[in-house]
């Protein structure tokens, strides 16, 4: 396989993440009739930001969380706060996590609720070759940093398998963050609905979930997921992942958070 370790970077524990509250399952009677297909890119076309590339750095944890938060600032503010947030600030400044060597779902959200991150314009990504610059206190152009945070009360880890709540959350508030165990056959993905068939376990990986659908040929239900390996990978940077049976533990590591709008 070669050195693919830099493609990942999410520490997924065997148990359930513990720092934040569990998401209360939605009342089954309250769930609006969920459509068979939903894509955040269709509902909020100006708010779902382009695919990014973490390159040779295990920073998926910083990319997936800042991408989700970027989209949600835009959705929650009806487009008035439409900015791309900086994964670099997290990679360099979040001392609870390990920069290009990976991050933990719980600690990264602790950082985003207490410290937050800046805009990508303030501090563009520069760890693509695996080097982590020291934490900065001003933007690269010398301007003062403005920090964007997640609301600490809103960070939730969904109950494993509570797919309806995950779908409802995406449909009402925008993309959520997820993590899953990567096996060797995932690296060969190009299209269709992925599920693990062959190969050994490589690592944990964090991603952004933007919607769902049902495959027209196989009839398999899937999540629509944005990866951070550039737009040349998969289906223009996206992939479809089997939904509903905790494939590769993906429905064990789903998070939601709301932006703190002041």
């Amino acid at each position: 396989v070669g050195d693919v370790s830099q493609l990942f970077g999410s520490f997924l524990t065997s148990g359930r993440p513990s720092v934040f509250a569990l998401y209360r399952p939605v009342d089954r009677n309250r769930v609006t009739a969920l459509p068979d297909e939903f894509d955040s890119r269709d509902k909020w076309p100006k708010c779902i930001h382009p695919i990014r590339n973490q390159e040779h750095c295990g920073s998926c944890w910083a990319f997936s969380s800042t991408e989700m938060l970027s989209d949600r600032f835009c959705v929650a503010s009806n487009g008035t706060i439409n900015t791309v947030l900086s994964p670099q600030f997290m990679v360099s400044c979040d001392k609870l996590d390990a920069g290009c060597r990976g991050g933990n779902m719980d600690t990264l959200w602790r950082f985003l609720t207490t410290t937050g991150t800046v805009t990508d314009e303030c501090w563009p990504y520069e760890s693509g070759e695996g080097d982590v610059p020291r934490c900065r206190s001003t933007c690269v152009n010398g301007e003062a940093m403005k920090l964007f945070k997640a609301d600490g009360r809103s960070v939730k880890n969904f109950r494993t398998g509570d797919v309806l709540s995950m779908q409802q959350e995406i449909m009402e508030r925008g993309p959520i963050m997820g993590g899953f165990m990567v096996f060797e056959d995932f690296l060969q993905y190009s299209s269709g609905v992925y599920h693990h068939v062959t190969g050994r376990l490589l690592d944990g990986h964090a991603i952004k979930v933007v919607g769902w659908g049902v495959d027209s040929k196989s009839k398999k239900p899937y999540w629509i997921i944005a990866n951070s390996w550039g737009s040349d990978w998969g289906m223009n940077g996206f992939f479809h992942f089997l939904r509903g049976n905790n494939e590769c533990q993906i429905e064990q590591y789903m998070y939601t958070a709301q932006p703190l709008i002041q």
Side-chain angles (χ1 to χ4, degrees), residues 17-193:
S18 58
V19 171
F20 294 101
L22 275 170
Y23 190 93
R24 285 187 63 193
V26 291
D27 179 352
R28 294 293 182 264
N29 299 320
R30 191 184 74 81
V31 176
T32 49
L34 288 167
D36 289 338
E37 299 188 350
F38 177 82
D39 192 330
S40 296
R41 293 171 290 179
D42 297 333
K43 184 170 181 180
W44 302 288
K46 291 187 172 70
C47 290
I48 310 304
H49 298 93
I51 290 288
R52 305 200 61 180
N53 194 343
Q54 68 190 74
E55 301 175 61
H56 304 290
C57 169
S59 51
C60 62
W61 60 278
F63 274 85
S64 55
S65 55
T66 53
E67 286 176 44
M68 173 191 131
L69 207 53
S70 301
D71 295 355
R72 284 187 163 221
F73 262 107
C74 182
V75 170
S77 68
N78 290 318
T80 57
I81 305 174
N82 191 349
T83 187
V84 173
L85 298 178
S86 170
Q88 187 62 58
F89 183 82
M90 296 187 72
V91 169
S92 291
C93 302
D94 176 1
K95 302 308 179 191
L96 293 172
D97 290 295
C100 281
R101 298 194 310 278
N104 179 287
M105 292 274 203
D106 275 353
T107 48
L108 76 85
W109 282 113
R110 193 184 297 176
F111 183 79
L112 281 172
T113 55
T114 55
T115 302
T117 189
V118 296
T119 66
D120 207 56
E121 192 177 17
C122 169
W123 194 354
Y125 190 56
E126 50 183 298
S127 287
E129 293 305 312
D131 300 316
V132 180
R134 289 175 61 178
C135 184
R136 305 178 60 92
S137 55
T138 56
C139 298
V140 292
N141 64 3
E143 289 181 7
M145 287 180 157
K146 180 186 177 187
L147 290 159
F148 293 78
K149 300 180 183 181
D151 183 341
R153 297 161 301 179
S154 74
V155 181
K156 300 280 195 301
N157 170 229
F158 291 92
R159 284 176 165 80
T160 301
D162 186 9
V163 174
L164 284 179
S165 292
M166 298 167 195
Q167 290 175 291
Q168 185 85 356
E169 180 72 13
I170 293 168
M171 200 164 79
E172 290 179 357
R173 297 192 180 95
I176 60 178
M177 179 189 184
F180 66 97
M181 296 300 191
V182 178
F183 290 86
E184 284 176 326
D185 57 356
F186 181 71
L187 300 178
Q188 273 66 61
Y189 179 86
S190 58
S191 64
V193 180

Side-chain angles (χ1 to χ4, degrees), residues 156-259:
K156 300 280 195 301
N157 170 229
F158 291 92
R159 284 176 165 80
T160 301
D162 186 9
V163 174
L164 284 179
S165 292
M166 298 167 195
Q167 290 175 291
Q168 185 85 356
E169 180 72 13
I170 293 168
M171 200 164 79
E172 290 179 357
R173 297 192 180 95
I176 60 178
M177 179 189 184
F180 66 97
M181 296 300 191
V182 178
F183 290 86
E184 284 176 326
D185 57 356
F186 181 71
L187 300 178
Q188 273 66 61
Y189 179 86
S190 58
S191 64
V193 180
Y194 172 80
H195 64 98
H196 170 52
V197 178
T198 62
R200 64 188 175 90
L201 174 66
L202 297 174
D203 208 342
H205 186 48
I207 39 73
K208 181 179 78 174
V209 186
V210 304
W212 66 86
V214 179
D215 189 74
S216 57
K217 291 179 184 171
S218 67
K219 305 302 181 200
K220 289 176 182 168
Y222 59 78
W223 295 111
I224 305 169
I225 297 177
N227 204 354
S228 51
W229 293 352
S231 56
D232 293 338
W233 182 88
M235 298 184 291
N236 300 313
F238 289 84
F239 62 103
H240 292 169
F241 199 98
L242 190 65
R243 165 172 56 94
N245 69 342
N246 201 25
E247 182 71 24
C248 301
Q249 293 175 257
I250 193 165
E251 283 138 17
Q252 185 174 330
Y253 296 105
M254 294 282 204
Y255 272 82
T256 183
Q258 279 295 87

